[in-house]
Amino acid sequence: MMLDQRDKEWNALYLSLSEALSQFGREDAYGKGDFWLVDDDYGDTAHKVCVARRVFITPELIGALQRVLIQAPHWRVLLQIDEEVDGAPASSTGLTVRIDSVETSPKNGVNP
């Protein structure tokens, strides 16, 4: 089965983002690492990253993500902060990283 252009872009960006994120921390889907790059495609032009520790998000990380987005400038990366605060997840906050900007966004506009 042949992938359409959007699916090819999604896959290429997934691999590039995985490589970039891994330079800054450890991936773990269960919150035991620093982040998890969600491997589900929700059909839009975004990749979602669940961040287990706020300190994982640095200017260097943001710059690395923006460099990855050069290959597909109409895409964005949604960083959902899942770090627990006083025993409750803070997943209502996050950042949207675009090639030329970073926005604070509640829930990142994602409804997985």
Side-chain angles (χ1 to χ4, degrees), residues 5-80:
Q5 183 61 33
R6 191 207 154 279
D7 291 338
K8 288 178 186 176
E9 284 182 354
W10 190 95
N11 285 316
L13 279 172
Y14 180 87
L15 294 173
S16 295
L17 288 168
S18 179
E19 184 177 319
L21 290 162
S22 294
Q23 294 176 15
F24 293 90
R26 189 172 64 84
E27 183 170 18
D28 184 278
Y30 302 101
K32 306 268 190 243
D34 300 299
F35 72 94
W36 173 47
L37 176 58
V38 176
D39 52 3
D40 291 323
D41 181 354
Y42 298 112
D44 61 355
T45 54
H47 277 276
K48 182 177 178 182
V49 180
C50 297
V51 176
R53 299 178 331 112
R54 292 173 197 250
V55 297
F56 176 69
I57 300 174
T58 63
E60 293 79 16
L61 173 75
I62 299 296
L65 297 177
Q66 289 177 319
R67 285 188 294 280
V68 169
L69 290 172
I70 289 171
Q71 60 187 312
H74 57 282
W75 284 73
R76 64 195 189 286
V77 179
L78 309 173
L79 300 174
Q80 176 179 300

